[in-house]
Amino acid sequence: MSSSPANGLSELHQPIRLRTSLFWSLYGVWYRHFRVYTKTFLANATPPLLEPLFFFTAVAIGLGNYVQPGGFEGLSYRTFVASGLVISSAMFTAIFETTFGTFVRLVFQKTYDAMLGTHLRVSEIFVGEMLFAATKGAVFSTVVLLVTMAFGARPNVWCVLVPVVGMLTSYLFASIGLIVTSYVKMINNFSFFTTGVITPLFFFSGTFFPIKGHYVWLDVVSNVLPLTHPIEISRALFEAHFTPATLAHVAALTAYIVVCHVLALRRMTQRVLS
Amino acid sequence: MEDSATHSAPLIIARGLTKQFGELKAVDGVDLDIAPNECVGFLGPNGAGKTTLMRLVFSAIAKTAGELTVFGLTPMEQRKQINAHIGVVFQDNNLDEELNAAECLLVHALYCGLDHRTARRRIAALLDWLSLTAKADSRIRALSGGMVRRLMIARALLNSPKLLILDEPTTGLDPQVRHAIWAALRDLKRQGMTILLTTHYMDEAQQLSDRVLIMDRGRIILSGPPNDLVEAHLERYVLQVSGVPTVPPLDGGIRHEHAGDADYFYAAAEQPLQALHERLAAKYAILRHANLEDVFLKFTGRGFNE
């Protein structure tokens, strides 16, 4: 080891200022995820971005040819499906981030141990993580929006707010993912959740067809599902058609976020500090 | 140790500190005072509670009972204030494998709350001090075990800690690297760092520690400067042999222990052991000074206690 005390050690004992406030703590955690994710950006981002586009091509463009010519709710079928896919893509990116991703960091990479060795609070560690998921959600819904527009979706100008809805959707599903992860002991357990919960959410929250008005029970179920609300908000933005129901969806989404955020932090604190 | 008033208050105080996981008492009624600038080595078999004790100090787990203060503050409740001044080298290397060496340190520096400019300056200095400058742009996967371990030490020093916690810092490394790491740690100690160290290596404990604590089943069973421990608890010399079918009657002053296929003969003087050595005609025999490992085995037993 070089024993050049002149440079190495004396520099190390310079007094330094540590910014330990909430903002910088969240930034530190967010930056880690950002840096690691963008290091292998193409490998990380390509598959989850291609998937909604496959759905769009197959369903909106392909199957869309057989759908009633007027589309649904005043939107062409392509536009209708696009307004759902911008949100479901935000859901998927967040849910994978905090189920498989969090589990690998927790159990295999021991990433949170490194964070716990610093001043960071457990709540800061996981809010930072959910904020990163929210960032990804905003980016994903923007990209999906632009690509579906290139393929014939025609949203109203209000759609500039779609990334915000995508961001909130991702924050919500990141917290749901953390709650699930806090109970999971083996990584294969997640397949129950993805197949049993996420897939039905994707199909029964109004992405591909309007849920309303077929069966009463389906209306009820769909309104309980967390993905329904951001999709309805997105759809309202797409058609610039705002009703009291839109406000109710905003309220429901907010309530979901608050409750899941609190539960996620409580559960992960228990899991990590034991 | 200095005796000035500012330096005499212990950095860490534990009284009856206990951590229970279900039925298992991982740490069981530990009393402890760590003085500033002290280097304390924790020895003990696997599962003795060393790592759990360290995790209590940096608020990675909550205690079950007893008292613990660090820098006069209460862990868990004041983890932010405490951990701002602690650096931890974990037993498992947990650097982000996707990143290169300098990026790993940058990410960690930001956890600690350094701004980008200070972070870059300190990263350069630390890499230089640990002879890793040439590897700044290398992926973690491309580094040798010794380099990764030094990087873990560099990472723990980014926030300029007052207390450094090292959980088995040199396990699995070759002798060159171990000696280099010890030299670096002694450097830090000279600069006034307080160090807690867990290890399975007696030579590591002896090389670095002012004081050694031997733990077993969650308790501290022995404590003192390494050489004093050997002197206080063992005869000065030991003859270690294996493959001797029958042990002849021994002179007074020679103590005998048998474990597996090995026999240990302890005596205060070298001469009677020398004589015994010649009489035994063992396949393998070595006459040496008793050391910390002998003390360790005497107190924690020679069988597996897993």
Side-chain angles (χ1 to χ4, degrees), chain A residues 99-115:
Chain A
T99 50
F100 292 98
T102 298
F103 191 84
V104 166
R105 287 189 283 273
L106 182 68
V107 175
F108 300 116
Q109 300 180 334
K110 302 195 188 301
T111 311
Y112 304 118
D113 260 356
M115 296 182 185

Side-chain angles (χ1 to χ4, degrees), chain A residues 1 7 11-12 19-20 25 27 31-32 35 39 109-110 113 115-116 118-121 124 273, chain B residues 55 76 79-80 83 90 92 94 96 103 107 110-111 113-116 121-122 125-126 128 180:
Chain A
M1 209 94 5
N7 186 1
E11 157 61 35
L12 293 181
R19 306 178 299 186
T20 58
S25 300
Y27 170 71
Y31 184 85
R32 181 265 169 204
R35 198 70 194 241
K39 190 80 182 180
Q109 300 180 334
K110 302 195 188 301
D113 260 356
M115 296 182 185
L116 282 179
T118 71
H119 68 84
L120 294 172
R121 293 196 178 96
E124 292 166 340
L273 295 182
Chain B
R55 291 179 80 82
M76 296 314 281
R79 75 167 273 139
K80 215 173 231 301
N83 283 13
F90 291 89
D92 298 316
N94 53 1
D96 288 307
E103 287 167 338
V107 158
L110 297 185
Y111 296 162
L114 274 68
D115 59 77
H116 282 261
R121 209 181 66 223
R122 286 184 69 78
L126 279 163
D128 175 53

